[in-house]
Amino acid sequence: MIIDCAYYRDGRRQHVEAMSVRDAAASCRAGGFVWLGMYEPTSAELTEVRDSFGLHELAVEDAQTFHLRPKVEPYEGDIRLVILRTSRYDDEREEVDFGEVSVFLGPSFVITVRQGVASDLHGARIRLEQRPELLEGGTSSVLWAILDQVVDGYGPVVAELERDIEEVERTVFAGAVAPTERIYFLRREVTDFYRAVHPLLAVLATLERDARETPLLPYFRDVHDHLVLVNEEVAAQRDLLATVLEANMAVIGVEQTKVSVRQNATIERLTILATVFLPLTFVTGFFGQNFAWLTDRIGQEWDFFVLGIGGLVIPCIALLIWFRRQRAARDAT
């Protein structure tokens, strides 16, 4: 849909009500420029805008699809297409939502097409309309206002991501195991955010060169400075998440080692018990035999003590000697 369409001349908006696409295209020939704002337009609306303003079909096709990286593309008729990635942090889901703004920039018109979750450009329009000295700079002033709005929107996202990373970091470095899935998810979000921020540096460098001989150059430099700061913070977050992930894997390894030690200790105790009961099993089996030699020679209590108890004591002494030798060997290593 068309959000707003206005005609500007001599640094001021010439009417209050929004204009139709046809009237806006006609106003471009009278001097000044037109700013047409659209949000998720239909194919029919984009076709009307393309025919009215003479846009290239490939440029219009770019405005209908999402891009992973911001870019600037020149077209015939001194028209440029600038793709910007926008972002917003959702507190309920604790996730970052991304959108896109396509800006068609010509000598006498600016057309903005927003897709997905995007910054509201109405605030940028109002602030620019309150500064007629900048509006007199033409369509480049609109591009600066949009860039300033988009880059300012990156700040809250960086702060919220920093808060999420600090929560995971405190969990990991406290010795507890943090959810690995959460760390991977945060790393993916930061990577997507980096892809939205870092390529915009090259776009701004190009726009700065184009505005070198205009009064808008300091304003583009100011946006560039803010973007450099955001880019550095996002890059630091990526490195920090890599460290947190490695630390979390180390904590998981320590926990698994502790479990293995506990399991080994349990198995050792069970082995000792089984070893103690082994002579008893031997004696029980020995006296349970029905051989004539055995039954004929056990007729008194003394015979039972010698053969039975002796048959238990001798293996126990042998096991005790063996356990001591094993312990001494472990202590030596």
Side-chain angles (χ1 to χ4, degrees), residues 13-323:
R13 183 169 179 155
Q14 300 301 309
H15 56 90
V16 177
E17 299 295 331
M19 304 172 62
S20 65
V21 174
R22 203 170 287 232
D23 293 338
S27 300
C28 291
R29 306 181 186 93
F33 67 92
V34 169
W35 182 358
L36 170 63
M38 310 178 73
Y39 177 71
E40 295 187 352
T42 63
S43 298
E45 289 174 333
L46 281 176
T47 300
E48 182 183 6
V49 171
R50 182 195 66 188
D51 296 339
S52 300
F53 290 91
L55 303 179
H56 197 282
E57 59 179 353
L58 294 179
V60 175
E61 183 179 340
D62 273 348
Q64 292 179 288
T65 57
F66 280 93
H67 301 76
L68 293 177
R69 300 168 59 91
K71 65 175 184 176
V72 54
E73 293 283 350
Y75 289 93
E76 296 179 359
D78 199 17
I79 298 174
R80 287 178 295 175
L81 172 62
V82 182
I83 303 292
L84 307 175
R85 295 290 307 281
T86 60
S87 62
R88 183 187 67 184
Y89 188 86
D90 192 314
D91 292 326
E92 295 183 0
R93 296 184 292 114
E94 293 186 340
E95 296 181 10
V96 180
D97 296 322
F98 294 95
E100 187 172 295
V101 177
S102 302
V103 183
F104 296 92
L105 192 71
S108 59
F109 63 84
V110 178
I111 302 171
T112 56
V113 180
R114 293 191 291 139
Q115 299 283 351
V117 179
S119 302
D120 185 9
L121 300 181
H122 183 65
R125 187 188 290 266
I126 291 177
R127 286 196 301 272
L128 190 60
E129 289 178 352
Q130 293 173 351
R131 305 189 64 177
E133 72 280 4
L134 293 180
L135 265 174
E136 290 180 357
T139 57
S140 296
S141 64
V142 177
L143 182 59
W144 163 80
I146 296 172
L147 284 167
D148 188 58
Q149 176 93 11
V150 171
V151 173
D152 285 346
Y154 291 155
V157 178
V158 172
E160 294 297 333
L161 286 175
E162 189 72 24
R163 179 178 59 83
D164 292 342
I165 295 172
E166 287 177 354
E167 291 178 359
V168 175
E169 187 181 15
R170 284 195 298 267
T171 303
V172 172
F173 290 102
V177 178
T180 305
E181 183 180 359
R182 176 60 174 164
I183 299 176
Y184 272 108
F185 181 78
L186 279 173
R187 191 174 184 183
R188 186 185 66 185
E189 284 196 324
V190 172
T191 300
D192 291 341
F193 192 34
Y194 182 80
R195 290 173 180 169
V197 172
H198 185 71
L200 190 55
L201 292 171
V203 174
L204 266 173
T206 301
L207 298 176
E208 280 188 56
R209 287 195 299 268
D210 296 340
R212 188 173 302 169
E213 304 298 330
T214 67
L216 292 172
L217 180 59
Y219 297 93
F220 279 105
R221 283 179 177 171
D222 179 68
V223 176
H224 185 269
D225 291 341
H226 292 169
L227 185 63
V228 168
L229 179 61
V230 172
N231 180 72
E232 292 175 351
E233 292 177 345
V234 176
Q237 288 177 348
R238 285 208 312 172
D239 296 339
L240 180 59
L241 280 172
T243 303
V244 171
L245 181 60
E246 292 176 359
N248 186 61
M249 298 305 293
V251 171
I252 292 176
V254 171
E255 293 297 323
Q256 290 177 344
T257 302
K258 291 179 180 178
V259 172
S260 299
V261 170
R262 288 195 295 266
Q263 290 177 344
N264 292 336
T266 302
I267 293 175
E268 184 177 355
R269 287 194 292 269
L270 293 175
T271 303
I272 293 173
L273 288 175
T275 306
V276 170
F277 279 98
L278 182 62
L280 297 178
T281 305
F282 168 76
V283 172
T284 303
F286 180 77
F287 284 99
Q289 299 179 90
N290 293 323
F291 295 110
W293 179 89
L294 184 63
T295 56
D296 292 343
R297 284 168 175 72
I298 299 180
Q300 298 180 0
E301 294 182 356
W302 179 251
D303 296 331
F304 172 78
F305 282 111
V306 171
L307 295 175
I309 302 302
L312 288 175
V313 171
I314 292 174
C316 288
I317 294 175
L319 287 173
L320 180 61
I321 295 173
W322 183 78
F323 283 139

